[in-house]
Amino acid sequence: MITIEKLGVLLGPTEKSFEKYGTLNPGVFQEGNTVHLFYRAVEFGNISTIGYAKSDGPFNIVERMERPLIEIDFEYEKHGVEDARIVKIDDIYYLTYTAYDGINALGALATSKDLIHFEKQGIITPQVNYQDYEDFVTRKNEDELNPKYLLLYNLFAEIGLVADKFRLLRDKDLVLFPRKINGKFALLHRIWPGIQIVYFDHWKDLTKSFWEDYLKNLTDYIVLDPKGFFEVNYIGAGGPPIETEYGWLLIYHGVQETIIGKTYHAMAALLQLDKPEIEISRLKYPLFSPTRIWERVGTVNNVVFPSGQALFGNDLYIYYGVADENIAVVKLDINELLLELRIQT
């Protein structure tokens, strides 16, 4: 088993209106000893923006903005800018997030050259309704797909709120790899219930026709599907994959159905370096689970939601949302985790 040290809550809500009802699910970018946190800040009415804090070392907050860093600007995100993840490729920072309009939750992108000013590039995930989605994926993939891929309409359709044609396929947990692979950007995303990958030269290439072709061959792009007891409901990517000599280390969340409702666990997998759609191994048990009071009781009970990490020597610090209210941190030895994953290949 892997030794996990739970360091406790790092950031919580304040009396500022934009983050009074929750601070959670941070995107994390490490520069030397500095850890930048781009966290989901929740105000009254469950409206979300992105707040910012900076840590000197893994657990010493030295700066926190008084207002949101990234606010709501467009109709497609009028109910929330949520759950950022961030990487730097060449000289550009790429921040992916979930844009929520009150009905539809879609993946979006913003870019920056200084971590201060972000330019929104718009929605980059499929903008198709559920009927079109089902038509696309059943043309070739139906016999190979986890049946849950065809249950999406009943799960996520907000019945009666809008016409069916305006109820779009939910696509969340967007995470870019921290470098190009075979000359292309590589992006993990989550069409329920699994994790898929898409390669592209430029985000402008992610057009409607591109996604239609992609969905017709969806089974070719599935990286991980729910497998074990602790992730039987669905899974989603956490922070950007970490490149190691043994493969890409991916921390992700798995959701388990229990008699007290859904329980979120932190999970781990190893993916092939040059072709990360190939799974090398994954833990057969959670990396960590909600056991402390701040993880078990909150706006949404029994949630640990890893969304970023920082590496100091061999110490891997994982930043995660807890109970949809706070941000906490755990520490582990990355070599111990990699050894455990290699044993399970």
Side-chain angles (χ1 to χ4, degrees):
M1 296 289 287
I2 300 153
T3 302
I4 301 291
E5 183 179 353
K6 291 190 174 182
L7 302 179
V9 172
L10 177 65
L11 288 176
T14 70
E15 287 304 307
K16 301 179 185 69
S17 60
F18 81 97
E19 60 181 13
K20 188 173 183 178
Y21 293 87
T23 53
L24 56 148
N25 304 356
V28 175
F29 185 77
Q30 181 180 9
E31 289 182 308
N33 202 52
T34 299
V35 178
H36 303 273
L37 298 112
F38 302 83
Y39 59 89
R40 179 179 171 187
V42 185
E43 62 181 86
F44 179 77
N46 198 31
I47 307 296
S48 298
T49 53
I50 301 298
Y52 170 82
K54 182 168 69 175
S55 178
D56 179 22
F59 206 79
N60 179 32
I61 298 297
V62 295
E63 181 182 336
R64 186 170 182 177
M65 288 184 63
E66 297 289 315
R67 51 168 295 147
L69 176 66
I70 301 176
E71 302 189 80
I72 293 169
D73 296 304
F74 299 103
E75 189 74 10
Y76 62 77
E77 59 188 17
K78 65 182 180 181
H79 206 86
V81 177
E82 304 177 354
D83 298 353
R85 274 79 158 194
I86 187 166
V87 299
K88 185 180 185 183
I89 300 175
D90 298 327
D91 62 345
I92 297 177
Y93 298 94
Y94 296 88
L95 184 142
T96 49
Y97 65 96
T98 298
Y100 183 50
D101 66 3
I103 300 292
N104 299 308
L106 303 171
L109 173 69
T111 56
S112 174
K113 290 196 171 183
D114 58 11
L115 289 182
I116 299 170
H117 305 94
F118 284 85
E119 181 180 358
K120 291 180 179 177
Q121 308 297 341
I123 301 295
I124 60 171
T125 53
Q127 296 184 67
V128 300
N129 61 43
Y130 286 96
Q131 183 59 63
D132 288 342
Y133 162 78
E134 186 170 336
D135 289 344
F136 293 141
V137 299
T138 54
R139 292 184 190 184
K140 176 182 175 182
N141 306 285
E142 186 172 11
D143 294 337
E144 303 173 45
L145 276 175
N146 180 322
K148 287 187 175 183
Y149 281 93
L150 300 177
L151 299 176
L152 287 171
Y153 177 84
N154 292 327
L155 284 163
F156 297 125
E158 310 287 351
I159 303 299
L161 295 181
V162 295
D164 285 355
K165 66 179 180 179
F166 299 119
R167 222 172 272 131
L168 303 180
L169 175 67
R170 290 198 174 197
D171 199 337
K172 305 178 70 174
D173 298 324
L174 273 67
V175 183
L176 278 162
F177 283 75
R179 66 167 173 84
K180 292 183 178 180
I181 298 175
N182 300 317
K184 291 182 177 290
F185 290 100
L187 174 74
L188 298 177
H189 63 118
R190 202 279 302 284
I191 297 173
W192 193 92
I195 299 171
Q196 304 83 35
I197 193 167
V198 58
Y199 295 99
F200 56 95
D201 293 312
H202 193 279
W203 63 84
K204 291 181 180 178
D205 298 335
L206 301 175
T207 61
K208 182 178 180 181
S209 61
F210 175 96
W211 282 117
E212 288 178 359
D213 290 339
Y214 180 93
L215 293 172
K216 291 172 186 175
N217 297 280
L218 185 60
T219 52
D220 294 340
Y221 306 109
I222 295 173
V223 178
L224 299 173
D225 263 350
K227 189 173 181 180
F229 178 73
F230 298 100
E231 56 185 47
V232 67
N233 195 324
Y234 58 91
I235 59 178
I242 302 167
E243 187 170 7
T244 79
E245 62 180 302
Y246 306 108
W248 292 103
L249 172 61
L250 177 67
I251 309 299
Y252 66 99
H253 67 265
V255 182
Q256 174 191 6
E257 288 287 358
T258 73
I259 59 173
I260 58 172
K262 292 181 176 66
T263 296
Y264 282 67
H265 304 277
M267 312 295 292
L270 203 58
L271 310 176
Q272 189 169 301
L273 280 178
D274 60 342
K275 203 171 184 182
E277 57 268 34
I278 296 177
E279 173 189 344
I280 298 173
S281 66
R282 70 174 99 179
L283 289 184
K284 295 179 175 64
Y285 55 86
L287 191 55
F288 58 93
S289 300
T291 57
R292 304 297 177 85
I293 187 65
W294 63 81
E295 300 166 332
R296 293 189 292 106
V297 179
T299 302
V300 181
N301 295 339
N302 299 304
V303 172
V304 295
F305 191 92
S307 53
Q309 58 271 326
L311 190 60
F312 290 84
N314 292 328
D315 292 330
L316 180 65
Y317 293 83
I318 300 173
Y319 299 79
Y320 63 109
V322 291
D324 274 17
E325 277 190 16
N326 300 295
I327 295 166
V329 187
V330 303
K331 182 177 79 168
L332 58 92
D333 186 318
I334 190 171
N335 290 326
E336 193 175 66
L337 173 55
L338 289 170
L339 177 59
E340 186 74 3
L341 282 164
R342 284 153 50 213
I343 289 172
Q344 298 189 30
T345 54

